[in-house]
């Protein structure tokens, strides 16, 4: 699940912002409990009591509100665990600068070649600054975290299986799907996720996933390249 809505300043390149959810986002997170319960019913799954979220505030807050709503609906207790591996792609020392600021600053560095066109959306491109990641880097660590968590998730009293909830960010979730071969890399650039949008995947073996339900959202041409961070 992608986190709920937050008031993100336009043109900021990094998704590593310490911003809380908006009032709209809090309502979205609460309403998301119904889609989770519906998916569990349709797939005959027990909902795992631990919801894993990115450490970024907007994802943690989405998970907390979702946990409260699920508890109110089911009477079962849910807890939230933060995971650094689920945060969005990092831009290192360029974090939280505007796109134009990044391009202007790096253009002044005589050691560097010009940034390639569409650098923000290129899955394999990593800014040439300390601590930066590519979208695929973020996808790899996100996929590994999900795999480790699913491998240890079990519920003997749930013969139909277990639904485990991860609340993270559009970019790292799409590219986790890329590295697990359920989303073509050339399609990922064209897609995004709605706030609280969900995609259901099934673990079918070590490092192997299957897309079960939920659809990615087509990115509009005018959509900010980092709008699903």
């Amino acid at each position: 699940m992608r986190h709920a809505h937050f008031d993100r300043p336009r043109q900021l390149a990094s998704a590593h912002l310490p911003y809380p959810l908006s009032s709209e986002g809090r309502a979205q997170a609460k309403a998301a409990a119904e889609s989770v319960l519906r998916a569990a019913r349709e797939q005959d799954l027990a909902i795992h009591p631990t919801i894993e979220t990115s450490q970024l505030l907007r994802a943690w807050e989405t998970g907390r509100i979702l946990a409260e709503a699920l508890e109110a609906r089911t009477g079962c207790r849910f807890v939230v665990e933060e995971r650094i591996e689920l945060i969005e792609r990092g831009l290192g020392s360029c974090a939280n600068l505007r796109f134009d600021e990044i391009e202007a600053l790096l253009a002044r560095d005589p050691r560097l070649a010009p940034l390639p066109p569409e650098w923000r959306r290129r899955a394999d491109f990593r800014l040439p600054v300390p601590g930066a990641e590519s979208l695929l880097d973020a996808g790899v660590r996100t996929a590994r975290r999900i795999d480790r968590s699913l491998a240890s998730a079990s519920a003997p009293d749930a013969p139909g299986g277990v639904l485990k909830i991860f609340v993270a960010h559009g970019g790292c979730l799409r590219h986790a799907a890329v590295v697990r071969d359920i989303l073509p890399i050339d399609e990922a650039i064209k897609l995004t996720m709605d706030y609280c949008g969900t995609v259901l995947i099934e673990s079918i073996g070590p490092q192997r996933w299957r897309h079960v339900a939920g659809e990615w959202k087509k990115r509009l041409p005018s959509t900010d390249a980092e709008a699903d961070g």
Side-chain angles (χ1 to χ4, degrees):
M1 179 182 294
R2 185 191 174 197
H3 59 79
H5 179 269
F6 74 116
D7 293 318
R8 175 182 177 271
R10 293 185 59 80
Q11 293 298 313
L12 279 183
S14 177
H16 292 187
L17 292 168
Y19 286 26
L21 296 181
S22 63
S23 57
E24 177 184 359
R26 292 190 291 274
Q28 289 172 340
K30 184 175 182 180
E34 179 55 39
S35 65
V36 170
L37 290 168
R38 183 170 57 251
R41 289 194 300 269
E42 291 173 353
Q43 301 294 330
D44 190 26
L45 301 172
I47 304 174
H48 196 280
T50 300
I51 299 173
E52 293 191 25
T53 76
S54 157
Q55 283 190 338
L56 296 173
L57 176 57
R58 59 191 181 275
W60 171 83
E61 194 173 9
T62 300
R64 179 181 60 81
I65 294 171
L66 175 60
E68 292 172 352
L70 287 172
E71 185 167 340
R73 294 287 302 275
T74 66
C76 300
R77 182 171 181 267
F78 291 84
V79 297
V80 175
E81 289 185 358
E82 300 173 69
R83 297 291 181 182
I84 190 69
E85 302 98 318
L86 299 180
I87 67 171
E88 186 59 301
R89 181 257 302 263
L91 298 183
S93 57
C94 287
N96 298 335
L97 296 176
R98 298 192 313 271
F99 298 135
D100 59 345
E101 289 177 323
I102 291 174
E103 291 165 0
L105 286 169
L106 297 189
R108 292 166 55 188
D109 190 330
R111 301 169 297 176
L112 304 178
L115 294 178
E118 294 289 313
W119 66 267
R120 290 176 277 167
R121 297 191 186 190
R122 279 185 48 177
D124 60 347
F125 180 74
R126 185 185 298 110
L127 279 176
V129 298
E133 296 179 297
S134 69
L135 285 165
L136 281 176
D137 291 335
V140 166
R141 60 168 163 73
T142 298
R144 286 174 176 169
R145 176 60 230 167
I146 291 172
D147 282 339
R148 286 196 299 271
S149 180
L150 294 180
S152 63
S154 62
D157 57 344
V162 178
L163 187 152
K164 182 70 182 283
I165 302 168
F166 301 88
V167 182
H169 309 269
C172 67
L173 290 172
R174 289 198 320 279
H175 288 83
V178 168
V179 301
R180 290 295 177 260
D181 297 322
I182 62 171
L183 181 64
I185 192 168
D186 58 347
E187 286 296 309
I189 192 175
K190 306 173 187 176
L191 302 171
T192 181
M193 293 181 77
D194 284 323
Y195 290 115
C196 280
T198 60
V199 174
L200 187 65
I201 62 101
E202 180 183 7
S203 175
I204 56 173
Q207 300 184 2
R208 294 181 61 210
W209 295 359
R210 182 174 72 89
H211 179 209
V212 176
E215 299 299 329
W216 311 100
K217 176 185 175 183
K218 293 291 185 182
R219 187 190 297 276
L220 298 175
S222 59
T223 300
D224 183 345
E226 297 292 329
D228 58 350

